[in-house]
């Protein structure tokens, strides 16, 4: 087997929970044309005159509430996941030269640096695995853009492949179902299971983004794996930004509505997030939790992301295996 490099890619995180670091991260993230498809002249004014000055301090305060071990949860759990998968590669392919890296679309460690390191280590084949189960132009396509940008500046391009999505992969659905079942065995089963996915503007879907369809298929597959009927689970979308219409129903409104109509115990899982981050810990287990209790709910039970759990490591290993064994992989 030729020396291979595998890059696991997540969205990114500030280097610290300071306002300056958060502002730097948000500027890079929200400047990506894949992320925000508003006309540039208008968006630059909104970004620099409204969002960065006013949102950065608030987001920094939120990060301070979830910061752990001098590092963000997203980076902490992402790195532990990659380290765990690397150990499985060493165990199953003891004679192979397989190098793994964690990279971020925004912030550090960045994709360009990861590619440079792997090529310097002698890797002749590269595989990129975005940690986004459901494909969206706002996330996965943005990763693809960055990879192509790096190679556009190179004369000698290695063989490479990437994974577009894994929203319905059997091991992914099984891992999610296992996490829910473990939660139920330890805490009892709530009246309803809410599956909260990250939202995107509705217009993106109308223009051809398959994200909503992927989310719905993930939710249906998970419900099927758990044996739930349609009255026992709900799908919603979180993390709306701006005044445009995003995918609905919105998570916060859904949580409030459920509490107001008599739901007392609610189990909540966020299948679109591979590891814990601000959107799961602060927005769901913090803000949405508070809304539910304030409106009459009694128990809001957040089910953690897959993080670095063994089932998640096994899933990543399964997703990489065709590349490592050169089976049914479309190289570029």
């Amino acid at each position: 087997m030729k020396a291979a490099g595998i890059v696991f890619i997540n969205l990114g995180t500030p280097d610290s929970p300071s306002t300056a670091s958060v502002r730097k991260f948000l500027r890079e993230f929200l400047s990506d044309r894949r992320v925000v498809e508003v006309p540039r002249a208008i968006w630059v004014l909104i970004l620099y005159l409204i969002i960065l000055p006013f949102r950065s301090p608030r987001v920094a305060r939120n990060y301070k509430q979830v910061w752990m071990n001098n590092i963000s949860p997203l980076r902490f759990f992402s790195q532990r996941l990659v380290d765990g998968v690397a150990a499985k590669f060493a165990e199953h392919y003891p004679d192979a030269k397989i190098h793994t890296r964690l990279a971020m679309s925004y912030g550090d460690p960045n994709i360009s640096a990861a590619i440079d390191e792997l090529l310097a280590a002698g890797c002749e084949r590269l595989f990129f695995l975005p940690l986004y189960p459901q494909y969206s132009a706002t996330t996965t396509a943005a990763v693809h853009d960055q990879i192509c940008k790096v190679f556009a500046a190179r004369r000698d391009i290695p063989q490479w492949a990437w994974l577009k999505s894994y929203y319905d992969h059997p091991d992914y659905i099984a891992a999610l179902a296992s996490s829910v079942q473990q939660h139920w065995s330890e805490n009892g089963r709530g009246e309803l299971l809410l599956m909260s996915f990250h939202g995107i503007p509705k217009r993106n879907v109308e223009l051809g983004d398959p994200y909503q369809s992927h989310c719905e298929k993930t939710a249906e597959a998970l419900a099927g794996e758990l044996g739930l009927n349609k009255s026992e689970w709900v799908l919603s979308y979180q993390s709306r930004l701006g005044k445009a219409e995003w995918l609905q129903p919105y998570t916060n409104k859904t949580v409030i509505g459920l509490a107001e109509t008599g739901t007392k115990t609610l189990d909540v899982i966020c299948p679109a997030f591979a590891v814990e981050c601000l959107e799961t810990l602060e927005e769901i287990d913090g803000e949405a939790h508070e809304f539910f209790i304030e409106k009459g709910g009694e128990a809001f039970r957040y089910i953690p992301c897959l993080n670095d759990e063994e089932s998640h490591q096994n899933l990543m290993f399964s997703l990489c295996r065709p590349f490592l064994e050169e089976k049914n992989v479309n190289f570029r």
Side-chain angles (χ1 to χ4, degrees), residues 10 19-20 31 33 44 53 89 93-94 107 152 159 175-176 196 200 227 230 233 248 250 278 287 301-302:
N10 214 328
T19 298
S31 294
R33 293 173 183 267
V44 167
F89 291 153
Y93 304 101
Q159 267 193 331
L176 290 175
S196 179
I200 64 172
K230 291 185 178 181
W233 63 277
Q248 297 191 44
Y250 299 136
L278 190 66
E287 186 178 80
R301 288 98 63 93
Y302 170 65

Side-chain angles (χ1 to χ4, degrees), residues 34 37 135-139 141 200-201 203-214:
R34 287 286 195 182
E37 298 185 21
Y135 173 94
S136 172
T138 61
T139 52
I200 64 172
R203 180 174 179 273
N204 292 26
V205 174
E206 293 172 346
L207 291 174
D209 196 307
Y211 180 73
Q212 182 178 20
S213 173
H214 286 190

Side-chain angles (χ1 to χ4, degrees), residues 158-283:
Q159 267 193 331
W160 68 278
W162 72 308
L163 185 71
K164 181 177 179 179
S165 64
Y166 54 96
Y167 64 92
D168 60 352
H169 192 284
D171 289 352
Y172 167 59
I173 301 302
L176 290 175
S178 177
S179 71
V180 175
Q181 290 164 339
Q182 180 179 345
H183 168 82
W184 285 344
S185 68
E186 295 173 354
N187 303 283
R189 178 169 166 176
E191 298 167 53
L192 203 65
L193 176 65
L194 173 64
M195 306 181 201
S196 179
F197 293 81
H198 198 291
I200 64 172
K202 182 179 178 182
R203 180 174 179 273
N204 292 26
V205 174
E206 293 172 346
L207 291 174
D209 196 307
Y211 180 73
Q212 182 178 20
S213 173
H214 286 190
C215 292
E216 291 172 352
K217 290 176 180 176
T218 294
E220 290 165 359
L222 176 56
E225 187 77 7
L226 293 170
L228 301 179
N229 61 48
K230 291 185 178 181
S231 67
E232 296 175 310
W233 63 277
V234 179
L235 179 152
S236 64
Y237 297 95
Q238 64 182 87
S239 309
R240 179 185 177 193
L241 175 65
K243 296 183 179 180
E245 182 180 0
W246 280 40
L247 295 180
Q248 297 191 44
Y250 299 136
T251 294
N252 280 350
K253 289 185 177 181
T254 298
V255 167
I256 291 171
L258 290 173
E260 290 179 336
T261 54
T263 300
K264 297 301 181 183
T265 57
L266 183 64
D267 296 324
V268 185
I269 189 171
C270 299
F273 299 90
V275 300
E276 305 297 357
C277 57
L278 190 66
E279 286 82 357
T280 61
L281 297 175
E282 192 279 330
E283 185 178 354

Side-chain angles (χ1 to χ4, degrees), residues 8-25:
F8 298 87
I9 304 169
N10 214 328
L11 185 100
T13 171
D15 292 326
S16 78
S18 69
T19 298
S21 183
V22 169
R23 180 187 177 100
K24 178 183 177 183
F25 170 72

Side-chain angles (χ1 to χ4, degrees), residues 81 165 332:
L81 173 63
S165 64
R332 292 174 177 267

